[in-house]
């Protein structure tokens, strides 16, 4: 579940810096591994020259992924002191350029020297460079290269074991092939140590360098293994598909000239660079991360999804686009994922043809119309909660989903919580008998007035369609019905603006009845501090209590119904035992919903929550609002036309314009999952 950052040795496209930048932009590359700039090796740059180069790169929106230095590309018997002094200057250059890494090598053994005899000298030299760089906030990364100490897997593993976090590891498949190594077996040994990769392939039989995926490098399998690691990883394209000026100096090969297959000779450097970059994109886009997502709405939750993607939490997928009507939010989205395309409307993104899935994270009213439009255009839809504001609208969306035949999911991430999954398992299994009473007090949704002022749509009937029930509690209402089933009757008391200057509810008490005669209460608020989150389910054979992320079961030694009927003592309670319920401990939240949706598209894996199920929890919310507005109990299913009519009255009586709005986006939403 890695996030891949594309970089390249752009000097293979051109010696000119502006041409390098243009080549990167034309080929979907967002960073450069700097090696030669306008005919000068980056390791020979002064700090002043680096500062000027940084301005040029910043203006173009191109980052520096690493310094592609030549340090360590001298004979092990050559003097090290002048080499090391020059290296110190390159560390200063790397810091100016914002490069997190400097590529280094472990010294040539081209004159028949014994590797074992010089091991200590190699490690002493590497230590000097690694430690100096670390002291200055830069990580040296060792690249495997033919003819050096670390040219084969065994010695690269030895280096990695010795240095640990002091020295990074660059994995170059072509160089391993040209050194006679099995790249797949080598990567299995080094996978957990790899800092970043050079994307270069080769054919072992004739030492031919070829585009990624065309040789013996097993790049598909290697990238699939790397994708299992979480985090961001640089993939740095190093074409070598055509001899270009300076190649001989860059690639020493023990006197054996680097052979280039006639099949992969290109008319010019720009064409060979494009071919190498295109091969990487083709592999990632079709075999590693084939599903393309577009995020519609990049406020709090939309930005959070971008952050999760940037952190490498999404498997087999790419977020390639984002849409928002607020230009500032699109600018912020590009800062998180610079490579994405941005659109100023949902329709523009949907019509672009660039995505397979839209992830909707807009204000609530917009969920159904955007989803319906996406379905009409043949796209799959994953929507944030709630499914919509009122069931009539959501029912129409569900019908559009069914007619399209496309996959539809809803971001009910709390269904991934091991505690709630276990509660559902125990209740649905029937081993504890029927439900008798349910009580959930969920008042730890405390919000300040500043929160409600952070968006003009928030906490209004016209913009949000409700308060705590529509914003904070859709997850809880979904879990309530997912675990216990839907009630048949609802009576509620929804206090509007009780604790905040808002027009919607911020304090709610719901009473429900079930078909079997069981009853339940649901109490929530955004005004309690500190709040409580305690979910109790009393069953015929015991009681489940979920609190503080722990699940306990009081298991009775019998059934309450039978004991009540047969016990001859008027006061003798049925005995039982408290049990700390074990769970599998897994709680992946939004990332699991996202990844299961991708799996559903690719492999038919069941979703965490089908989108059509969004109407169930919403029906409780609608019934609670309607009951409170009418001052009487409401039966389920809710009268959709009546609810809609009453909602329009609330909208008409509400505030068309909110005062004191101070727009704000909170990118980290982990505290409010």
């Amino acid at each position: 579940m890695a996030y891949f950052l594309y970089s390249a040795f752009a000097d293979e496209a051109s010696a000119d810096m502006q041409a390098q930048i243009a080549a990167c932009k034309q080929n979907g590359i967002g960073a450069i591994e700097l090696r030669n700039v306008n005919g000068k090796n980056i390791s020979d740059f002064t700090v002043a020259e680096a500062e000027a180069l940084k301005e040029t790169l910043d203006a173009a929106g191109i980052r520096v992924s690493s310094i592609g230095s030549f340090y360590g590309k001298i004979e092990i018997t050559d003097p090290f002191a002048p080499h090391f002094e020059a290296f110190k200057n390159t560390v200063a250059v790397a810091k100016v350029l914002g490069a997190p890494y400097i590529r280094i090598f472990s010294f040539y053994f081209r004159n028949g020297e014994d590797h074992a005899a010089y091991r200590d000298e190699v490690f002493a030299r590497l230590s000097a460079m690694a430690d100096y760089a670390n002291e200055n906030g830069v990580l040296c990364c060792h690249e495997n290269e033919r003819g050096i100490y670390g040219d084969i897997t065994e010695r690269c593993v030895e280096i990695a074991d010795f240095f640990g976090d002091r020295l990074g590891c660059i994995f170059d498949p072509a160089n391993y092939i040209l050194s006679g190594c099995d790249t797949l077996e080598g990567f299995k040994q080094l996978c957990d140590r790899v800092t970043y990769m050079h994307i270069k392939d080769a054919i072992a039989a004739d030492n031919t360098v070829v585009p990624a995926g065309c040789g013996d490098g097993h790049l598909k399998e290697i990238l699939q293994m790397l994708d299992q690691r979480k985090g961001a990883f640089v993939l740095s394209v190093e074409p070598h598909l055509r001899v270009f000026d300076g190649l001989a100096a860059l690639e020493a090969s023990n006197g054996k000239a680097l052979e280039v297959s006639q099949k992969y000779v290109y008319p010019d450097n720009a064409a060979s660079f494009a071919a190498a970059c295109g091969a990487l994109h083709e592999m990632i886009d079709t075999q590693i991360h084939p599903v393309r997502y577009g995020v519609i709405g990049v406020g709090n939750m939309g930005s959070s999804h971008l952050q999760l993607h940037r952190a490498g939490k999404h498997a087999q997928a790419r977020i390639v686009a984002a849409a928002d009507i607020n230009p500032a939010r699109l600018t912020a989205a590009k800062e998180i994922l610079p490579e994405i395309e941005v659109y100023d409307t949902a329709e523009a993104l949907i019509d672009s043809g660039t995505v397979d899935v839209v992830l909707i994270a807009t204000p609530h009213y917009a969920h159904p119309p955007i989803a319906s439009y996406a379905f009409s255009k043949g796209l799959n839809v994953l929507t944030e909660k709630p499914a919509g504001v009122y069931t009539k609208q959501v029912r129409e969306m569900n019908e559009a989903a069914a007619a399209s035949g496309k996959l539809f999911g809803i971001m009910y991430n709390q269904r991934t919580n091991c505690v709630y999954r276990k509660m559902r398992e125990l209740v649905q299994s029937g081993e504890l008998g029927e439900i008798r009473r349910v009580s959930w007090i969920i008042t730890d949704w405390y919000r300040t007035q500043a929160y409600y002022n952070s968006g003009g749509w928030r906490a209004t009937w016209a913009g949000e369609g409700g308060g705590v029930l529509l914003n904070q509690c859709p997850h809880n209402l979904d879990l309530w019905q997912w675990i216990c089933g839907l009630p048949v009757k609802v009576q509620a008391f929804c206090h509007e603006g009780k604790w905040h200057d808002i027009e919607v509810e911020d304090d709610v008490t719901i009473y429900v009845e079930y078909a079997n005669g069981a009853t339940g209460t649901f109490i929530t608020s955004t005004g309690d501090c500190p709040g409580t989150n305690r979910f109790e389910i009393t069953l015929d054979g015991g009681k489940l209590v979920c609190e503080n992320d722990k699940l306990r079961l009081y298991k009775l030694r019998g059934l309450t119904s039978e004991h009540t009927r047969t016990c001859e003592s008027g006061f003798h309670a049925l005995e039982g035992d408290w049990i700390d319920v074990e769970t599998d401990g897994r709680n992946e939240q939004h990332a699991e919903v996202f990844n299961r949706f991708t799996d559903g598209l690719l492999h038919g894996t069941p979703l965490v929550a089908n989108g059509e199920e969004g109407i169930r929890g919403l029906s409780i919310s609608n019934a609670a609002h309607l009951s409170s507005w009418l001052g009487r109990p409401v039966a389920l299913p809710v009268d959709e036309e009546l609810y809609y009519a009453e909602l329009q009255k609330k909208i008409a009586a509400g505030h068309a314009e909110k005062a004191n709005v101070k727009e704000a986006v909170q990118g980290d939403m982990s505290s409010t999952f």
Side-chain angles (χ1 to χ4, degrees), residues 118-417:
Y118 282 92
R119 177 187 182 279
D120 290 346
E121 178 64 17
V122 168
F123 282 30
R125 293 181 174 194
L126 290 178
S127 291
M129 292 190 288
D131 292 346
Y132 182 84
N134 283 332
E135 290 168 5
N136 287 275
V138 180
L139 179 67
C140 284
C141 297
H142 175 264
E143 178 188 346
N144 56 292
E145 160 80 5
R146 288 175 299 166
I148 64 174
Y149 184 88
D151 57 353
I152 61 174
T153 303
E154 291 77 10
R155 286 195 290 269
C156 285
V157 170
E158 180 188 8
I159 290 170
D161 285 345
F162 180 86
F163 284 93
D165 293 340
R166 294 166 58 205
L167 183 66
C169 172
I170 303 170
F171 193 93
D172 188 314
N175 285 352
Y176 276 119
I177 291 170
L178 300 175
S179 297
C181 297
D182 182 324
T183 58
L184 193 57
E185 189 57 38
F187 193 82
K188 289 177 181 177
Q189 295 183 51
L190 286 163
C191 180
D192 291 341
R193 342 281 186 90
V194 170
T195 308
Y196 72 95
M197 280 189 62
H198 282 168
I199 302 301
K200 190 169 72 188
D201 207 345
I203 296 174
D206 57 5
N207 289 336
T208 299
V209 175
V210 296
C214 299
D216 300 319
H218 298 288
L219 265 75
K220 174 186 173 182
E221 295 91 336
I222 285 172
L223 288 171
Q224 286 173 331
M225 284 191 284
L226 185 60
D227 192 40
Q228 296 306 305
R229 290 179 58 185
K230 294 182 180 180
F233 296 95
V234 172
L235 304 180
S236 191
V237 178
E238 189 177 19
H240 283 12
L241 298 180
R242 158 190 175 90
V243 175
F244 68 103
D245 293 340
L247 178 60
L250 291 168
E251 288 291 335
S253 55
N254 286 325
K256 190 173 187 178
L258 185 66
E259 300 176 33
V260 181
S261 167
Q262 294 301 308
K263 181 178 179 181
Y264 299 108
V265 172
Y266 296 87
D268 52 46
N269 290 338
S272 68
F273 184 80
C277 295
L280 172 61
H281 283 302
E282 174 70 15
M283 182 173 293
I284 297 296
D285 294 354
T286 63
Q287 301 179 65
I288 312 300
H289 295 160
V291 181
R292 303 169 300 167
Y293 280 76
V295 177
I296 298 177
V298 283
N300 284 345
M301 277 315 309
S303 297
S304 181
H305 289 301
L306 300 186
Q307 295 282 8
L308 288 171
H309 193 69
R310 180 66 175 76
K313 298 296 180 71
H314 297 153
Q316 304 179 92
R318 293 164 286 141
I319 293 180
V320 301
D324 202 292
I325 60 174
N326 185 335
R329 290 185 176 180
L330 293 179
T331 299
K334 290 280 284 184
E335 291 175 359
I336 301 171
L337 297 179
E339 69 277 13
I340 62 173
E341 297 293 330
V342 295
Y343 302 89
D344 58 6
T345 66
E347 292 78 10
L349 186 154
I350 291 167
D351 291 339
S352 69
T354 60
V355 302
D356 308 300
V357 183
V358 293
L359 196 170
I360 303 171
T362 61
H364 309 151
Y365 277 107
H367 294 180
I370 292 174
S372 295
Y373 187 72
F375 288 132
S376 75
K377 296 295 183 175
L379 297 182
N380 304 284
V381 174
L382 177 58
T383 185
E384 270 293 344
K385 54 77 184 172
V389 172
Y390 49 95
T391 57
K392 177 182 178 182
Q393 183 189 39
V394 171
R395 193 175 302 282
E396 292 168 354
M397 174 179 64
N398 289 350
E399 291 168 356
S404 73
K406 293 298 178 179
L407 200 61
F408 183 28
I410 188 166
M411 191 61 72
Y412 279 150
N413 48 282
Q414 287 294 348
R415 290 193 187 187
T416 71
N417 188 314

Side-chain angles (χ1 to χ4, degrees), residues 398-563:
N398 289 350
E399 291 168 356
S404 73
K406 293 298 178 179
L407 200 61
F408 183 28
I410 188 166
M411 191 61 72
Y412 279 150
N413 48 282
Q414 287 294 348
R415 290 193 187 187
T416 71
N417 188 314
C418 53
V419 173
Y420 297 127
R421 285 189 284 110
K422 191 64 177 181
M423 289 183 80
R424 173 178 161 84
E425 176 188 323
L426 291 169
V427 171
Q428 298 290 323
S429 71
E431 64 181 88
L432 297 171
E434 287 193 327
I435 293 174
R436 297 168 69 91
R437 186 182 307 279
V438 179
S439 174
W440 199 345
I441 177 169
I442 171 73
T443 58
D444 57 350
W445 290 120
Y446 177 73
R447 296 291 186 269
T448 66
Q449 187 65 40
Y451 167 81
Y452 289 112
N453 292 345
S454 68
W457 63 283
R458 286 197 183 282
T460 65
W461 294 112
E464 194 165 16
V468 64
L469 290 178
L470 262 291
N471 196 319
Q472 283 75 37
C473 287
H475 289 303
N476 310 107
L477 294 173
D478 173 64
L479 291 171
W480 193 19
Q481 67 81 26
W482 187 56
I483 295 169
C484 303
L486 281 172
V488 295
K489 186 167 71 173
V490 173
Q491 181 148 18
F493 303 90
C494 302
H495 298 274
E496 298 166 2
K498 183 175 183 179
W499 307 116
H500 306 86
D501 182 16
I502 57 176
E503 64 186 45
V504 295
E505 80 285 352
D506 60 359
D507 194 289
V508 174
T509 298
I510 302 174
Y511 165 81
V512 301
E513 294 180 1
Y514 292 90
N516 72 340
T519 60
T521 55
F522 185 94
I523 299 170
T524 189
S525 175
T526 57
D528 286 12
C529 185
T532 299
N533 186 349
R534 182 180 175 91
F535 187 9
E536 292 189 8
I537 304 175
T538 302
L539 301 109
D540 203 12
K543 180 166 71 173
L544 289 165
V545 179
C546 174
E547 189 171 22
N548 299 323
D549 296 320
K550 294 180 180 179
L551 181 59
R552 303 189 73 207
L553 165 64
Y554 188 79
K555 189 168 185 179
L556 295 171
R557 298 168 192 165
L559 297 176
T560 303
S561 57
E562 182 179 349
H563 184 77

Side-chain angles (χ1 to χ4, degrees), residues 75 109-115:
E75 296 288 339
F109 282 66
R110 290 179 292 199
N111 300 316
E113 298 93 348
D114 178 57
H115 289 82

Side-chain angles (χ1 to χ4, degrees), residues 626 629-630 641-651:
L626 189 58
W629 298 338
L630 299 179
E641 296 298 337
L642 177 59
Y643 178 82
Y644 181 75
E646 293 297 322
L647 176 62
Q648 300 312 303
K649 294 178 184 177
K650 301 295 288 187
I651 292 172

